[in-house]
Amino acid sequence: MDKILDYNIDYPKIIREEEIVRYLDKGCDFINDEEIWEKLKKNACSSTSRIREILEKALHIETLEPDEVACLLNVEDEDLWDEIFDTAGKIKKKVYDNRIVTFAPLYCSSYCINNCLYCAFRRENLLIKRRKLSLEEIKRETEVLAGEIGHKRLIVVFGEHPQANIDYIVETIRTIYEVKVRTKNGYGSIRRVNVNAPPMSIEDLKRLKEVGIGTFQVFQETYHHDTYRKVHPQNTVKSNYLWRLYCMHRAIEAGIDDVGIGVLFGLYNWKFEVMGLVYHARELEKRFGIGPHTVSFPRLEPAFNTPFVQETRYKVSDTDFKKLIAVIRVSIPYTGMIITAREPKEIRREMIKVGCTQTDASTRIGIGAYSDRYNEQEAERQQFLLGDTRSLDEVVRDFAQMGYITSFCTAGYRCGRTGKCIMELLKSGKEAKFCKLNAILTFREWLDDFASEETKREGEKIIAQEMEEVRRQIPSIYPKLLEYYERIKNGERDLYF
Amino acid sequence: MVKETSISDKDLNSLTDLAKRIKEKYGVILWFAEIFGKRWSYLAGEKDISEYVWERIQINDKLGILVNDWGNVSEEIKKEILDLIRENIREMKG
């Protein structure tokens, strides 16, 4: 057997029991499956006035109680759903203004010691083409992303394997941050690197912090204990539910104060999973005063040689997908919400309206795909198949035509607006002003360096609209915005509020 | 349970206190951040900001300040504040 696929892993060295047990409450974790189902049953028929009361609370940017979330999830009246969708859109505007932040995923390694039934990268899938990028290849990928496409934010993605250990992850991040590429009128670089990786020990998480990570993201996949056991075979590291569940506790304790949680919808009942996400957010708030920086909600997609995806009975319809996104937005009103290119363009357009704040574009998820420059998806190189392979230029134009400005902002984490601090600013509405200002500046950079003529025409309209809103809403800052804006038009880069 | 920083709770409290004193005495709003490459992680200081323009000042290789509002202070007073901060941080390291 190829050495790189050797699964004789020393599990005790990976999973540290003391870094789980310290967080348990009388030996129990914070997800009580029976309690969640009880709340869903108990709150099955709420009155219209009750629902409106809950929506009003959410508009004050307060995290909802589990009973309140259950009420929303059980709404059946379509008119009431329209009110929920409308509230979700209002909350997003209040907290994050009119911008959609964009990023790209960079898959670095497809080797994995786990065997998750739903994943094309599972170790028993011998048909998948495995690859791990060298640091030189990472650099080349980044040069394309930053220098040709114009991204400023990446999420680097790793399978769980000794070959993609903390040393490799740290060096990957360092390599990415070092890239600087000349562009048409300025230069391109990556200003924020988020990480989607396996759960780690506090010791390893400290190393991620020290290299300047953005957000640390780990999805629980499913909060339902029994389902988790079924889809994560017992002889794997990932089979340990609690090691995964408490990784954000460890991350925050290690000093990483921007964390991202998520669920893979399609593994179990979607209403249960939304409740799980809310319980997770509330647990982090209670323990640390810091909720999740982002919540993600990928749906199961076709994956090479992965029959589980076709066989699951919990697939989420487009109608229910919109509902779950709106409920997450309303329930955890301050959090960022990520919808990805897994979803086709029509779905993304629809979901943006009910509270999503971040998305990717020009996405390629084959290992080495950005610099290999293949245009068709290659299922045997990818974890799953994408629904939307449009370029960033097309997506930006689409958003502009919808009335949204695309943002490449990375200001917050470079100005101490992290963790507890950014939570307070988000809840107060002050961060929304920063969002607006930085969207204008970073969009200007991107239009000047990367946009097609057609996209630039649409982009100029949306920028003019946003500038006018600043002039009216925050007149005191308008002169400074104009100053930065002109400096960027003259070729300066990376000015921010 | 709190998130870990590379400075002690005692020093963290000192920074909080210092930011408060600076605001009371000079009317300047600032906060302290721990520096990790591009990341400046919030440590301590007044979160109720009044302006949208920041000045980032690196104090040493691990600590920086973000000044939200210098107000109408003179250059001389700015220097006085920065010297006060540097002195306090030196004392923290013993």
Side-chain angles (χ1 to χ4, degrees):
Chain A
M1 187 183 270
D2 185 345
K3 192 171 182 234
I4 207 160
L5 296 174
D6 182 359
Y7 301 121
N8 192 17
I9 305 297
D10 187 355
Y11 289 172
K13 280 197 178 148
I14 298 174
I15 296 173
R16 300 185 184 189
E17 284 299 320
E18 73 278 11
E19 292 184 13
I20 299 172
V21 168
R22 68 209 273 167
Y23 304 116
L24 298 177
D25 182 9
K26 300 183 183 79
C28 297
D29 66 70
F30 59 86
I31 299 290
N32 182 323
D33 292 8
E34 287 74 33
E35 180 180 299
I36 288 176
W37 275 118
E38 266 165 39
K39 287 189 186 293
L40 282 168
K41 285 184 184 126
K42 187 178 92 176
N43 295 289
C45 301
S46 302
S47 64
T48 300
S49 60
R50 174 80 181 115
I51 298 300
R52 285 178 179 157
E53 221 172 71
I54 293 169
L55 296 180
E56 188 57 36
K57 174 179 171 179
L59 278 166
H60 288 92
I61 318 303
E62 290 181 47
T63 311
L64 295 185
E65 301 281 338
D67 281 303
E68 292 167 332
V69 180
C71 287
L72 295 179
L73 287 167
N74 284 319
V75 165
E76 292 189 350
D77 183 301
E78 289 307 314
D79 289 336
L80 259 186
W81 270 112
D82 285 341
E83 288 188 43
I84 296 172
F85 295 147
D86 186 60
T87 303
K90 282 187 172 124
I91 288 171
K92 187 266 171 186
K93 182 91 203 288
K94 186 173 182 180
V95 178
Y96 287 100
D97 203 75
N98 195 34
R99 61 72 163 148
I100 307 293
V101 159
T102 188
F103 66 93
L106 174 56
Y107 277 69
C108 300
S109 169
S110 55
Y111 291 97
C112 194
I113 57 172
N114 294 309
N115 211 19
C116 314
L117 301 187
Y118 49 82
C119 181
F121 287 171
R122 69 191 184 283
R123 71 187 193 203
E124 283 179 7
N125 188 2
L126 301 179
L127 299 182
I128 206 89
K129 288 181 187 165
R130 306 278 174 180
R131 188 173 169 190
K132 179 191 132 181
L133 295 179
S134 67
L135 295 181
E136 185 55 38
E137 288 167 332
I138 300 268
K139 180 169 173 257
R140 278 209 298 275
E141 292 284 272
T142 308
E143 284 167 351
V144 172
L145 285 158
E148 294 182 27
I149 300 171
H151 279 297
K152 299 286 186 287
R153 302 166 60 110
L154 297 185
I155 181 153
V156 286
V157 186
F158 305 89
E160 183 159 22
H161 197 278
Q163 291 283 335
N165 60 11
I166 185 64
D167 293 330
Y168 175 69
I169 296 174
V170 163
E171 286 312 307
T172 294
I173 295 170
R174 206 168 267 140
T175 301
I176 291 168
Y177 277 138
E178 284 169 2
V179 169
K180 195 167 172 173
V181 188
R182 274 234 57 92
T183 57
K184 211 191 307 181
N185 296 304
Y187 66 87
S189 64
I190 299 300
R191 299 172 186 162
R192 181 174 180 130
V193 179
N194 297 334
V195 175
N196 181 297
M200 296 179 195
S201 64
I202 293 177
E203 182 186 335
D204 284 352
L205 287 160
K206 282 181 189 173
R207 292 188 58 196
L208 278 189
K209 176 184 78 167
E210 277 153 22
V211 80
I213 185 179
T215 304
F216 178 61
Q217 189 189 79
V218 175
F219 302 160
Q220 186 62 19
E221 315 295 9
T222 172
Y223 287 97
H224 189 244
H225 288 76
D226 200 43
T227 301
Y228 191 92
R229 258 191 299 277
K230 285 181 185 153
V231 299
H232 300 113
Q234 288 306 296
N235 59 344
T236 61
V237 175
K238 197 163 169 180
S239 68
N240 193 313
Y241 178 99
L242 297 180
W243 180 242
R244 199 166 189 87
L245 188 69
Y246 286 101
C247 70
M248 295 315 172
H249 288 61
R250 294 194 296 279
I252 295 172
E253 209 179 311
I256 297 175
D257 50 3
D258 289 334
V259 296
I261 63 175
V263 156
L264 181 55
F265 281 92
L267 296 180
Y268 188 61
N269 181 286
W270 66 269
K271 293 183 184 180
F272 180 97
E273 302 291 17
V274 172
M275 296 286 283
L277 284 166
V278 176
Y279 269 91
H280 200 164
R282 291 176 63 86
E283 163 72 9
L284 295 176
E285 286 175 43
K286 186 180 89 177
R287 291 263 190 174
F288 302 102
I290 303 171
H293 189 74
T294 56
V295 172
S296 299
F297 27 85
R299 288 194 283 183
L300 273 180
E301 294 297 335
F304 187 65
N305 193 32
T306 307
F308 177 90
V309 176
Q310 276 69 45
E311 291 160 5
T312 178
R313 61 188 180 99
Y314 291 110
K315 278 191 187 158
V316 178
S317 68
D318 293 347
T319 305
D320 288 343
F321 192 47
K322 187 174 178 180
K323 288 177 179 175
L324 74 88
I325 289 172
V327 172
I328 293 170
R329 167 48 66 219
V330 170
S331 304
I332 316 170
Y334 57 80
T335 197
M337 288 176 61
I338 306 176
I339 184 151
T340 70
R342 278 185 196 246
E343 300 293 339
K345 65 182 177 193
E346 299 76 19
I347 298 294
R348 291 217 273 178
R349 278 193 194 120
E350 195 61 21
M351 304 311 155
I352 291 287
K353 297 175 197 167
V354 292
C356 293
T357 58
Q358 293 192 30
T359 197
D360 53 331
S362 278
T363 299
R364 300 284 182 269
I365 60 171
I367 316 288
Y370 292 107
S371 47
D372 284 352
R373 299 179 192 282
Y374 61 83
N375 289 321
E376 298 298 315
Q377 295 193 65
E378 291 189 8
E380 67 273 20
R381 285 171 71 153
Q382 301 175 192
Q383 193 183 23
F384 52 87
L385 288 175
L386 295 171
D388 186 353
T389 56
R390 286 180 301 162
S391 68
L392 178 58
D393 191 84
E394 289 172 272
V395 171
V396 166
R397 188 165 69 244
D398 195 17
F399 284 165
Q401 287 164 345
M402 287 172 70
Y404 297 104
I405 184 169
T406 302
S407 177
F408 300 80
C409 174
T410 57
Y413 98 125
R414 294 192 286 164
C415 288
R417 300 201 303 273
T418 63
K420 261 188 227 185
C421 176
I422 195 169
M423 275 200 46
E424 289 191 27
L425 292 172
L426 287 165
K427 289 178 181 181
S428 69
K430 286 184 178 161
E431 186 63 26
K433 302 287 188 285
F434 287 108
C435 288
K436 193 176 210 58
L437 296 165
N438 290 313
I440 290 169
L441 296 179
T442 57
F443 194 48
R444 180 77 262 156
E445 285 182 327
W446 186 83
L447 285 181
D448 289 348
D449 285 347
F450 301 101
S452 64
E453 284 311 310
E454 191 185 351
T455 298
K456 204 165 182 182
R457 276 195 294 277
E458 294 299 328
E460 296 294 356
K461 292 181 208 166
I462 196 81
I463 262 198
Q465 187 182 297
E466 293 291 316
M467 297 279 282
E468 176 56 23
E469 284 188 10
V470 173
R471 193 188 64 77
R472 278 189 288 108
Q473 293 171 9
I474 8 172
S476 59
I477 201 65
Y478 189 64
K480 195 69 184 174
L481 173 65
L482 277 181
E483 181 207 318
Y484 282 1
Y485 189 80
E486 290 304 315
R487 285 165 64 183
I488 287 173
K489 281 173 76 175
N490 289 329
E492 259 188 86
R493 290 290 172 265
D494 205 13
L495 299 173
Y496 51 90
F497 288 93
Chain B
M1 193 165 286
V2 292
K3 78 164 185 138
E4 187 175 301
T5 63
S6 57
I7 68 170
S8 66
D9 285 347
K10 179 169 171 258
D11 288 341
L12 207 56
N13 290 336
S14 298
L15 291 178
T16 303
D17 188 56
L18 179 58
K20 201 172 167 187
R21 281 189 283 127
I22 290 171
K23 188 187 174 190
E24 281 165 2
K25 183 174 179 186
Y26 302 100
V28 170
I29 297 174
L30 59 83
W31 65 54
F32 294 92
E34 201 174 5
I35 299 171
F36 304 100
K38 286 193 182 332
R39 185 179 191 84
W40 284 45
S41 254
Y42 173 83
L43 270 180
E46 186 66 48
K47 293 191 213 88
D48 188 17
I49 61 167
S50 59
E51 294 289 331
Y52 294 98
V53 183
W54 296 90
E55 187 175 350
R56 275 189 353 166
I57 301 171
Q58 190 159 347
I59 302 296
N60 59 35
D61 60 350
K62 270 299 171 197
L63 289 175
I65 59 169
L66 293 122
V67 184
N68 179 240
D69 184 3
W70 279 116
N72 295 319
V73 298
S74 62
E75 287 304 312
E76 203 182 319
I77 298 292
K78 278 186 197 177
K79 188 177 175 307
E80 191 177 303
I81 292 170
L82 290 174
D83 286 343
L84 175 67
I85 289 169
R86 288 188 179 105
E87 191 189 315
N88 272 264
I89 286 172
R90 260 195 305 272
E91 280 171 16
M92 273 165 41
K93 286 182 174 288

